[in-house]
Every structure is written in C-alpha cells, then in structure tokens.
Coordinates of all heavy atoms in Angstrom, one line a residue:
S1 N 1.4 -5.2 12.6 CA 1.2 -5.4 11.2 C 0.5 -6.8 11.0 O 0.5 -7.6 11.9 CB 2.5 -5.3 10.4 OG 3.3 -6.5 10.6
D2 N 0.1 -7.0 9.8 CA -0.6 -8.3 9.5 C 0.2 -9.4 9.7 O -0.2 -10.5 10.2 CB -1.1 -8.2 8.1 CG -2.0 -9.4 7.8 OD1 -3.0 -9.7 8.6 OD2 -1.7 -10.1 6.9
I3 N 1.5 -9.4 9.4 CA 2.4 -10.4 9.6 C 2.6 -10.9 11.0 O 2.6 -12.1 11.3 CB 3.8 -10.2 8.8 CG1 4.6 -11.5 8.7 CG2 4.6 -9.1 9.6 CD1 5.8 -11.3 7.8
V4 N 2.7 -9.9 11.9 CA 2.8 -10.2 13.3 C 1.5 -10.9 13.8 O 1.6 -12.0 14.5 CB 3.1 -8.9 14.1 CG1 3.0 -9.2 15.6 CG2 4.4 -8.5 13.8
L5 N 0.3 -10.4 13.4 CA -0.9 -11.0 13.9 C -1.1 -12.3 13.3 O -1.5 -13.3 14.0 CB -2.0 -10.1 13.5 CG -2.0 -8.7 14.2 CD1 -3.2 -7.8 13.6 CD2 -2.1 -8.9 15.7
S6 N -0.8 -12.5 11.9 CA -1.1 -13.8 11.2 C -0.2 -14.9 11.7 O -0.6 -16.0 11.8 CB -0.8 -13.6 9.8 OG -1.8 -12.8 9.2
C7 N 1.1 -14.5 12.0 CA 2.1 -15.6 12.5 C 2.3 -15.7 13.9 O 3.0 -16.6 14.3 CB 3.5 -15.1 11.8 SG 3.5 -15.1 10.0
N8 N 1.7 -14.8 14.6 CA 1.9 -14.8 16.1 C 3.3 -14.8 16.5 O 3.7 -15.6 17.4 CB 1.1 -15.9 16.7 CG 0.9 -15.8 18.2 OD1 0.9 -14.7 18.7 ND2 0.9 -16.9 18.9
A9 N 4.1 -14.0 15.9 CA 5.5 -13.9 16.2 C 6.0 -12.5 16.0 O 5.5 -11.8 15.1 CB 6.3 -14.8 15.2
P10 N 6.9 -12.0 16.8 CA 7.4 -10.6 16.7 C 8.4 -10.4 15.5 O 9.1 -11.4 15.1 CB 8.2 -10.5 18.1 CG 8.7 -11.8 18.3 CD 7.5 -12.8 17.8
V11 N 8.4 -9.3 14.9 CA 9.2 -8.9 13.9 C 9.7 -7.5 14.2 O 9.0 -6.6 14.5 CB 8.6 -8.9 12.5 CG1 9.5 -8.3 11.4 CG2 8.0 -10.2 12.1
N12 N 11.1 -7.4 14.3 CA 11.7 -6.1 14.6 C 12.2 -5.3 13.3 O 13.0 -5.9 12.6 CB 13.0 -6.4 15.5 CG 13.6 -5.1 16.0 OD1 13.0 -4.0 16.1 ND2 14.8 -5.2 16.4
I13 N 11.6 -4.3 13.0 CA 11.9 -3.5 11.9 C 13.1 -2.6 12.2 O 13.1 -1.8 13.0 CB 10.8 -2.6 11.4 CG1 9.5 -3.5 11.1 CG2 11.1 -1.7 10.2 CD1 8.3 -2.6 10.8
L14 N 14.2 -2.9 11.5 CA 15.5 -2.2 11.6 C 15.6 -1.0 10.7 O 16.2 0.0 11.0 CB 16.6 -3.2 11.4 CG 16.8 -4.3 12.2 CD1 17.9 -5.3 11.8 CD2 16.8 -4.0 13.7
F15 N 15.0 -1.1 9.5 CA 15.1 0.0 8.5 C 14.0 -0.2 7.5 O 13.6 -1.4 7.2 CB 16.4 -0.1 7.8 CG 16.5 0.8 6.5 CD1 16.6 2.2 6.6 CD2 16.3 0.2 5.3 CE1 16.7 3.0 5.5 CE2 16.3 1.0 4.1 CZ 16.6 2.4 4.3
A16 N 13.3 0.8 7.1 CA 12.3 0.7 6.0 C 12.3 2.0 5.2 O 12.5 3.1 5.7 CB 10.9 0.4 6.6
N17 N 12.0 1.9 3.9 CA 11.7 3.1 3.1 C 10.8 2.7 1.9 O 10.7 1.6 1.5 CB 13.0 3.7 2.6 CG 13.6 2.9 1.4 OD1 13.3 1.8 1.2 ND2 14.6 3.6 0.8
T18 N 10.1 3.7 1.4 CA 9.3 3.6 0.2 C 9.6 4.7 -0.8 O 10.0 5.8 -0.4 CB 7.8 3.5 0.4 OG1 7.5 4.7 1.1 CG2 7.5 2.3 1.4
K19 N 9.3 4.4 -2.0 CA 9.4 5.4 -3.2 C 8.4 5.1 -4.2 O 8.0 4.0 -4.4 CB 10.8 5.7 -3.6 CG 11.4 4.5 -4.2 CD 12.9 4.8 -4.6 CE 13.7 3.6 -5.0 NZ 15.1 3.9 -5.3
E20 N 8.1 6.0 -5.0 CA 7.2 5.8 -6.2 C 8.0 5.5 -7.4 O 9.0 6.3 -7.7 CB 6.3 7.0 -6.4 CG 5.2 6.7 -7.4 CD 4.2 7.8 -7.5 OE1 3.8 8.4 -6.4 OE2 3.9 8.1 -8.7
V21 N 7.8 4.4 -8.1 CA 8.4 4.0 -9.3 C 7.4 3.8 -10.4 O 6.6 2.9 -10.2 CB 9.4 2.9 -9.1 CG1 10.0 2.4 -10.4 CG2 10.4 3.1 -8.1
E22 N 7.3 4.6 -11.4 CA 6.5 4.4 -12.5 C 5.0 4.3 -12.0 O 4.2 3.4 -12.3 CB 6.8 3.2 -13.3 CG 8.1 3.4 -14.1 CD 8.5 2.2 -14.9 OE1 7.7 1.3 -15.2 OE2 9.6 2.1 -15.3
G23 N 4.7 5.1 -11.0 CA 3.3 5.2 -10.4 C 3.0 4.2 -9.5 O 1.9 4.1 -8.9
Q24 N 4.0 3.4 -9.1 CA 3.6 2.3 -8.0 C 4.6 2.5 -6.8 O 5.7 2.9 -7.0 CB 3.9 0.8 -8.6 CG 2.9 0.4 -9.5 CD 2.9 -1.1 -9.7 OE1 4.0 -1.7 -9.7 NE2 1.8 -1.8 -9.8
A25 N 4.0 2.3 -5.6 CA 4.8 2.4 -4.4 C 5.7 1.1 -4.4 O 5.2 0.0 -4.4 CB 3.9 2.5 -3.2
V26 N 6.9 1.4 -4.2 CA 8.0 0.3 -4.0 C 8.7 0.5 -2.7 O 9.1 1.6 -2.4 CB 8.9 0.3 -5.3 CG1 10.0 -0.8 -5.0 CG2 8.2 0.1 -6.5
G27 N 9.1 -0.5 -2.0 CA 9.7 -0.3 -0.8 C 10.5 -1.5 -0.3 O 10.6 -2.5 -1.1
Q28 N 11.4 -1.3 0.7 CA 12.2 -2.3 1.2 C 12.2 -2.2 2.7 O 12.1 -1.1 3.2 CB 13.6 -2.2 0.6 CG 14.3 -1.0 1.0 CD 15.7 -1.0 0.3 OE1 16.1 -1.8 -0.5 NE2 16.6 0.0 0.6
M29 N 12.4 -3.3 3.3 CA 12.5 -3.3 4.8 C 13.7 -4.3 5.2 O 13.9 -5.3 4.5 CB 11.3 -3.9 5.4 CG 10.1 -3.0 5.2 SD 8.6 -3.8 6.0 CE 8.9 -3.4 7.7
V30 N 14.4 -3.9 6.3 CA 15.3 -4.8 6.8 C 14.7 -5.1 8.2 O 14.5 -4.2 9.0 CB 16.8 -4.1 7.0 CG1 17.7 -5.0 7.8 CG2 17.3 -3.6 5.7
V31 N 14.4 -6.4 8.4 CA 13.9 -6.9 9.7 C 14.7 -7.9 10.3 O 15.5 -8.6 9.7 CB 12.4 -7.4 9.4 CG1 11.5 -6.3 8.9 CG2 12.4 -8.6 8.5
E32 N 14.5 -8.0 11.7 CA 15.1 -9.0 12.4 C 14.1 -10.1 12.8 O 13.1 -9.7 13.5 CB 15.8 -8.4 13.7 CG 16.5 -9.5 14.5 CD 17.1 -8.8 15.8 OE1 16.5 -7.8 16.3 OE2 18.1 -9.3 16.2
L33 N 14.3 -11.3 12.4 CA 13.3 -12.4 12.8 C 13.6 -12.8 14.1 O 14.7 -12.8 14.7 CB 13.4 -13.5 11.7 CG 13.0 -13.1 10.3 CD1 13.2 -14.3 9.4 CD2 11.7 -12.4 10.1
P34 N 12.6 -13.5 14.8 CA 12.8 -14.1 16.1 C 13.9 -15.2 16.0 O 14.1 -15.8 14.9 CB 11.4 -14.7 16.4 CG 10.5 -14.4 15.3 CD 11.2 -13.7 14.2
D35 N 14.4 -15.5 17.2 CA 15.5 -16.5 17.3 C 14.8 -17.9 17.1 O 15.5 -18.9 16.7 CB 16.2 -16.5 18.6 CG 17.2 -15.3 18.7 OD1 17.6 -14.9 17.6 OD2 17.3 -14.7 19.8
S36 N 13.6 -18.1 17.4 CA 12.8 -19.3 17.4 C 12.7 -19.7 15.9 O 12.2 -19.0 15.0 CB 11.5 -19.2 17.9 OG 10.6 -20.3 17.5
V37 N 13.3 -21.0 15.5 CA 13.2 -21.4 14.2 C 11.8 -21.6 13.8 O 11.4 -21.3 12.6 CB 14.0 -22.8 14.1 CG1 13.8 -23.4 12.8 CG2 15.4 -22.5 14.4
E38 N 10.9 -22.0 14.6 CA 9.5 -22.2 14.3 C 8.8 -20.9 14.0 O 8.1 -20.9 12.9 CB 8.8 -22.9 15.5 CG 7.2 -23.3 15.2 CD 6.7 -23.9 16.4 OE1 7.0 -24.9 16.8 OE2 5.7 -23.2 16.9
E39 N 9.0 -19.9 14.7 CA 8.5 -18.6 14.4 C 9.0 -18.1 13.1 O 8.3 -17.4 12.3 CB 8.7 -17.7 15.5 CG 7.9 -18.0 16.8 CD 8.2 -17.0 18.0 OE1 9.4 -16.5 18.0 OE2 7.4 -16.8 18.8
A40 N 10.3 -18.1 12.9 CA 10.9 -17.6 11.7 C 10.4 -18.4 10.4 O 10.1 -17.7 9.4 CB 12.5 -17.7 11.8
E41 N 10.2 -19.7 10.6 CA 9.6 -20.5 9.5 C 8.2 -20.0 9.1 O 7.8 -20.0 8.0 CB 9.7 -21.9 9.7 CG 11.1 -22.4 9.6 CD 11.2 -23.9 10.0 OE1 10.2 -24.5 10.5 OE2 12.3 -24.5 9.7
R42 N 7.4 -19.7 10.2 CA 6.0 -19.2 10.0 C 6.1 -17.9 9.2 O 5.3 -17.7 8.3 CB 5.3 -19.0 11.3 CG 4.8 -20.3 11.9 CD 3.7 -20.1 12.9 NE 4.0 -19.1 14.0 CZ 4.5 -19.4 15.3 NH1 4.8 -20.7 15.5 NH2 4.7 -18.5 16.2
I43 N 7.1 -17.0 9.6 CA 7.1 -15.8 8.9 C 7.6 -15.9 7.4 O 6.9 -15.3 6.6 CB 8.0 -14.7 9.6 CG1 7.5 -14.4 11.0 CG2 8.4 -13.6 8.9 CD1 8.4 -13.7 12.0
T44 N 8.5 -16.7 7.2 CA 9.0 -16.9 5.8 C 7.9 -17.6 5.0 O 7.7 -17.3 3.8 CB 10.3 -17.7 5.7 OG1 10.2 -18.9 6.3 CG2 11.5 -16.8 6.3
H45 N 7.1 -18.5 5.6 CA 6.0 -19.1 4.9 C 5.0 -18.1 4.5 O 4.4 -18.0 3.4 CB 5.4 -20.2 5.8 CG 4.1 -20.8 5.1 ND1 4.2 -21.7 4.1 CD2 2.8 -20.7 5.5 CE1 2.9 -22.0 3.7 NE2 2.1 -21.4 4.5
Y46 N 4.7 -17.2 5.4 CA 3.7 -16.1 5.2 C 4.2 -15.3 4.0 O 3.4 -14.9 3.2 CB 3.6 -15.1 6.5 CG 2.8 -14.0 6.3 CD1 1.4 -13.9 6.6 CD2 3.3 -12.8 5.7 CE1 0.6 -12.8 6.3 CE2 2.6 -11.6 5.6 CZ 1.3 -11.6 5.9 OH 0.5 -10.5 5.7
L47 N 5.5 -14.9 4.0 CA 6.0 -14.0 2.9 C 5.8 -14.8 1.6 O 5.4 -14.2 0.6 CB 7.5 -13.7 3.2 CG 7.7 -12.8 4.4 CD1 9.3 -12.8 4.7 CD2 7.2 -11.5 4.2
R48 N 6.2 -16.0 1.5 CA 6.1 -16.8 0.2 C 4.6 -16.9 -0.1 O 4.3 -16.7 -1.4 CB 6.7 -18.2 0.4 CG 8.2 -18.2 0.5 CD 8.8 -19.6 0.5 NE 10.2 -19.5 0.7 CZ 10.8 -19.7 1.9 NH1 10.2 -20.0 2.9 NH2 12.1 -19.6 1.9
S49 N 3.8 -17.2 0.8 CA 2.3 -17.4 0.5 C 1.7 -16.1 0.0 O 0.7 -16.2 -0.7 CB 1.6 -17.8 1.7 OG 2.0 -19.0 2.2
N50 N 2.3 -14.9 0.3 CA 1.7 -13.7 -0.1 C 2.6 -13.0 -1.2 O 2.4 -11.9 -1.5 CB 1.5 -12.7 1.0 CG 0.5 -13.1 2.0 OD1 -0.7 -12.9 1.7 ND2 0.8 -13.8 3.1
D51 N 3.4 -13.8 -1.9 CA 4.2 -13.4 -3.0 C 5.1 -12.1 -2.7 O 5.2 -11.3 -3.6 CB 3.4 -13.1 -4.2 CG 2.7 -14.4 -4.8 OD1 3.4 -15.5 -4.8 OD2 1.6 -14.4 -5.2
I52 N 5.6 -12.1 -1.5 CA 6.5 -11.0 -1.1 C 7.9 -11.6 -1.2 O 8.3 -12.5 -0.6 CB 6.1 -10.7 0.4 CG1 4.7 -10.2 0.5 CG2 7.2 -9.6 0.9 CD1 4.3 -9.9 1.9
R53 N 8.6 -10.8 -2.1 CA 10.0 -11.2 -2.4 C 10.9 -10.9 -1.1 O 10.7 -9.7 -0.5 CB 10.6 -10.6 -3.6 CG 9.9 -11.0 -4.9 CD 10.5 -10.5 -6.1 NE 10.7 -9.0 -5.9 CZ 10.8 -8.2 -7.0 NH1 10.8 -8.7 -8.2 NH2 10.8 -6.9 -6.7
F54 N 11.8 -11.7 -0.8 CA 12.7 -11.4 0.3 C 14.0 -12.1 0.1 O 14.1 -13.1 -0.7 CB 12.0 -11.8 1.7 CG 11.8 -13.3 1.9 CD1 12.7 -14.0 2.6 CD2 10.7 -13.9 1.4 CE1 12.5 -15.3 2.8 CE2 10.5 -15.3 1.6 CZ 11.4 -16.0 2.2
E55 N 15.0 -11.7 0.8 CA 16.3 -12.3 0.9 C 16.8 -12.4 2.3 O 16.8 -11.4 3.0 CB 17.2 -11.5 0.0 CG 18.7 -11.9 0.0 CD 19.6 -11.0 -0.7 OE1 19.1 -10.1 -1.4 OE2 20.8 -11.2 -0.6
E56 N 17.2 -13.6 2.7 CA 17.7 -13.7 4.0 C 19.2 -13.4 4.0 O 19.9 -13.9 3.1 CB 17.5 -15.2 4.5 CG 16.0 -15.5 4.7 CD 15.8 -16.9 5.2 OE1 16.2 -17.1 6.4 OE2 15.3 -17.7 4.6
V57 N 19.6 -12.6 5.0 CA 21.0 -12.3 5.1 C 21.5 -12.6 6.5 O 20.7 -12.8 7.4 CB 21.3 -10.8 4.8 CG1 21.0 -10.5 3.4 CG2 20.5 -9.9 5.7
S58 N 22.8 -12.6 6.7 CA 23.3 -13.0 8.1 C 23.1 -11.8 8.9 O 22.9 -10.6 8.5 CB 24.7 -13.3 8.0 OG 25.5 -12.2 7.5
K59 N 23.1 -11.9 10.2 CA 23.0 -10.8 11.2 C 24.2 -9.8 11.0 O 25.3 -10.2 10.7 CB 23.0 -11.4 12.7 CG 21.8 -12.2 13.0 CD 21.8 -12.6 14.4 CE 20.6 -13.3 14.8 NZ 20.6 -13.6 16.3
M60 N 23.8 -8.5 11.1 CA 24.8 -7.4 11.2 C 24.7 -6.9 12.5 O 23.8 -6.8 13.2 CB 24.3 -6.4 10.2 CG 24.3 -6.8 8.7 SD 23.8 -5.5 7.5 CE 22.1 -5.4 7.7
D61 N 25.9 -6.4 12.9 CA 25.9 -5.6 14.1 C 25.4 -4.2 14.0 O 25.2 -3.7 12.8 CB 27.3 -5.7 14.7 CG 28.3 -5.0 14.0 OD1 28.1 -4.0 13.2 OD2 29.6 -5.4 14.0
A62 N 25.2 -3.4 14.9 CA 24.6 -2.2 15.0 C 25.6 -1.2 14.1 O 25.0 -0.4 13.4 CB 24.4 -1.6 16.4
S63 N 26.9 -1.3 14.2 CA 27.7 -0.4 13.4 C 27.5 -0.7 11.9 O 27.6 0.2 11.1 CB 29.1 -0.5 13.9 OG 29.7 -1.8 13.6
S64 N 27.4 -1.9 11.5 CA 27.2 -2.2 10.1 C 25.9 -1.7 9.6 O 25.8 -1.2 8.5 CB 27.2 -3.7 9.9 OG 28.4 -4.3 10.3
I65 N 24.8 -1.7 10.5 CA 23.5 -1.1 10.0 C 23.6 0.3 9.8 O 23.1 0.8 8.9 CB 22.5 -1.6 11.0 CG1 22.2 -3.1 11.0 CG2 21.1 -0.8 10.7 CD1 21.4 -3.5 12.1
S66 N 24.2 1.0 10.8 CA 24.3 2.5 10.6 C 25.2 2.8 9.4 O 24.9 3.8 8.8 CB 24.7 3.2 11.9 OG 25.8 2.9 12.4
M67 N 26.2 2.1 9.1 CA 27.0 2.4 8.0 C 26.2 2.1 6.6 O 26.3 2.9 5.8 CB 28.3 1.5 7.9 CG 29.4 1.9 8.9 SD 30.8 0.8 8.8 CE 31.1 0.5 7.2
Y68 N 25.4 1.0 6.7 CA 24.5 0.8 5.5 C 23.6 2.0 5.3 O 23.4 2.4 4.2 CB 23.8 -0.5 5.7 CG 22.7 -0.8 4.8 CD1 23.0 -1.2 3.4 CD2 21.4 -0.5 5.1 CE1 22.0 -1.4 2.5 CE2 20.4 -0.8 4.1 CZ 20.7 -1.2 2.9 OH 19.7 -1.3 1.9
L69 N 22.9 2.4 6.4 CA 21.9 3.5 6.3 C 22.6 4.8 5.8 O 22.1 5.5 5.0 CB 21.4 3.8 7.7 CG 20.5 2.7 8.1 CD1 20.0 3.0 9.5 CD2 19.3 2.3 7.2
K70 N 23.8 5.1 6.2 CA 24.5 6.4 5.8 C 24.9 6.3 4.3 O 24.8 7.2 3.6 CB 25.8 6.6 6.7 CG 25.6 7.0 8.1 CD 26.8 7.2 8.9 CE 26.5 7.5 10.3 NZ 27.6 7.5 11.1
E71 N 25.3 5.1 3.9 CA 25.7 4.9 2.5 C 24.5 5.0 1.6 O 24.5 5.4 0.4 CB 26.4 3.6 2.3 CG 27.8 3.6 2.9 CD 28.5 2.3 2.9 OE1 27.9 1.4 2.3 OE2 29.6 2.1 3.5
T72 N 23.3 4.5 2.0 CA 22.2 4.5 1.3 C 21.5 5.9 1.1 O 21.1 6.2 -0.1 CB 21.0 3.6 2.0 OG1 21.5 2.3 2.2 CG2 19.8 3.5 1.1
W73 N 21.7 6.8 2.0 CA 21.1 8.0 1.9 C 22.2 8.9 1.3 O 22.3 9.9 1.1 CB 20.6 8.6 3.2 CG 19.5 7.7 3.6 CD1 19.6 6.7 4.6 CD2 18.1 7.7 3.2 NE1 18.4 6.0 4.7 CE2 17.4 6.6 3.9 CE3 17.4 8.4 2.3 CZ2 16.1 6.3 3.7 CZ3 16.1 8.1 2.1 CH2 15.5 7.1 2.8

C-alpha cells in the first residue's frame, strides 16, 4: 500500500472492512504498527498529513481480536 511505500515501514493489517454509506465508501482497519518508535511516528505523521482519522489503542491479544470480530459480525 501507499503508506508502506511512503513511510518505508511495515504495517500489519489485522482486520478491515468497508461499506457504502450515503453513496460513499466508508471503512475501518485495525492495524499493528512496528515496534520501532521512529517507524510508528512516520506512519502516524503520514495519516495526519493525509487527513486520515485514526485512534491508537493498546495491544490486544489474539483471543481479544477474534472476540471483537465475532461480536462485530
């Protein structure tokens, strides 16, 4: 994706979905940022610079993620 190429840092996509709302595609993603503070800062700077809204949350373990996915669907 553009963010990986622009920031030269890996992003692990844990969950993503899109839907159409009032004729516009709207989506959300849960991603895991790199452990490197410098790489994570480049990514958050990219998001802010491109007016992409995001919220940082603490790490979840795999069981929490699968529970979240089951409750969402």
